[in-house]
Amino acid sequence: MNLILLNSNDHWIDAQRVRLSDRRAEHIRKVLRSQQGDTLRLGMLGGQQGTGRIEAIDAQAVLITVQLVDPPPARHRFDLVLALPRPKMLRRILRAVAEFGVGSLHLVQTARVDKSYWQSPLLADAKVDEALRMGMERSSDTIIPQVHRHRLFRPFVEDRLPEICQGRPCWIAHQDADVRLSAVAVQPAVVMIGPEGGFVPFELTLAEQMGAQRVHLGGRILSVDTALTTVLAQAL
């Protein structure tokens, strides 16, 4: 936890003082081993970052005076469309999306996605929020990625994809593409990443009809979580 993430629902004594008594307070006591007078790195969810001075600390709570003056880090230039991954991958994928500062993640059903994945408890709003916040705390960010769910591929591509791209390039990762993602122009874009086994021909064709262009990530076949990290790392 490189940033203590605050929100408006915390126990605010006044405009500049907050009392924490949950896992953040435990982290301050047991992991950071902070004491009265120490300075912490803080951020307001959806807002600015800054520092906080510990005014009091005991086994029940930590009282912090907060000063937030720094803007959040810039957003990643890629937004993502991702075939819904296996539940065992979902949590770390959400953390990675938050760590890289992605603005929007669209989870979609594709032909090779088992429909039972949508029943995973890890897709509950609270679990998604928890995973994203863990990534934000690690990367010192205060802007939470927007996660959207789309259970039907064709309506998503035909009705939503043009709106999502809004004039930006739309790249679809596929092994047989002629162009490498790292070679495309450096600009904001949307990148589509398929499931294990990739997109089926119908999905590729439909996406291309709506303006998507094929790119590849290199000569190796990658797992979904590795492909996602590869895509995001190439655009840093």
Side-chain angles (χ1 to χ4, degrees), residues 155-175:
F156 165 74
V157 172
E158 292 181 336
D159 301 334
R160 294 297 311 281
L161 188 61
E163 174 189 348
I164 291 165
C165 294
Q166 292 182 335
R168 298 177 291 177
C170 180
W171 308 113
I172 185 165
H174 196 263
Q175 191 71 18

Side-chain angles (χ1 to χ4, degrees), residues 161-226:
L161 188 61
E163 174 189 348
I164 291 165
C165 294
Q166 292 182 335
R168 298 177 291 177
C170 180
W171 308 113
I172 185 165
H174 196 263
Q175 191 71 18
D176 68 358
D178 295 327
V179 178
R180 184 190 295 266
L181 178 62
S182 60
V184 303
V186 177
Q187 64 185 116
V190 175
V191 181
M192 302 179 67
I193 303 172
E196 303 292 344
F199 293 106
V200 300
F202 163 78
E203 293 165 342
L204 287 166
T205 299
L206 184 62
E208 288 174 321
Q209 288 172 350
M210 304 310 297
Q213 302 173 66
R214 299 189 194 193
V215 292
H216 69 84
L217 306 180
R220 292 182 175 270
I221 297 175
L222 307 176
S223 63
V224 171
D225 51 343
T226 303

Side-chain angles (χ1 to χ4, degrees), residues 111-125:
R112 291 190 170 119
V113 168
D114 191 320
K115 292 182 180 179
S116 67
Y117 294 173
W118 292 102
Q119 307 307 316
S120 170
L122 295 177
L123 272 175
D125 289 344

Side-chain angles (χ1 to χ4, degrees), residues 34-215:
S34 298
Q35 300 178 359
Q36 184 177 359
D38 286 353
T39 299
L40 304 170
R41 186 70 183 166
L42 305 174
M44 175 64 73
L45 182 65
Q48 293 181 304
Q49 302 183 6
T51 58
R53 183 180 186 275
I54 298 177
E55 302 297 341
I57 184 169
D58 57 30
Q60 283 71 48
V62 181
L63 178 63
I64 307 170
T65 297
V66 178
Q67 185 176 23
L68 305 178
V69 295
D70 301 324
R75 299 295 86 203
H76 197 282
R77 64 184 176 91
F78 288 162
D79 284 338
L80 297 176
V81 174
L82 178 67
L84 182 66
R86 297 175 184 273
K88 67 180 181 180
M89 289 186 179
L90 182 60
R91 188 174 178 83
R92 64 177 176 267
I93 282 174
L94 290 171
R95 286 204 306 263
V97 164
E99 287 179 27
F100 277 98
V102 172
S104 294
L105 169 67
H106 297 265
L107 298 172
V108 300
Q109 174 71 35
T110 69
R112 291 190 170 119
V113 168
D114 191 320
K115 292 182 180 179
S116 67
Y117 294 173
W118 292 102
Q119 307 307 316
S120 170
L122 295 177
L123 272 175
D125 289 344
K127 291 295 185 181
V128 169
D129 185 77
E130 178 185 16
L132 293 173
R133 291 194 188 209
M134 290 180 66
M136 294 164 64
E137 290 168 346
R138 184 177 298 169
S139 62
S140 296
D141 201 353
T142 57
I143 307 300
I144 194 165
Q146 298 300 305
V147 177
H148 309 271
R149 303 163 178 84
H150 309 276
R151 295 196 180 210
L152 297 174
F153 183 82
R154 183 166 191 161
F156 165 74
V157 172
E158 292 181 336
D159 301 334
R160 294 297 311 281
L161 188 61
E163 174 189 348
I164 291 165
C165 294
Q166 292 182 335
R168 298 177 291 177
C170 180
W171 308 113
I172 185 165
H174 196 263
Q175 191 71 18
D176 68 358
D178 295 327
V179 178
R180 184 190 295 266
L181 178 62
S182 60
V184 303
V186 177
Q187 64 185 116
V190 175
V191 181
M192 302 179 67
I193 303 172
E196 303 292 344
F199 293 106
V200 300
F202 163 78
E203 293 165 342
L204 287 166
T205 299
L206 184 62
E208 288 174 321
Q209 288 172 350
M210 304 310 297
Q213 302 173 66
R214 299 189 194 193
V215 292

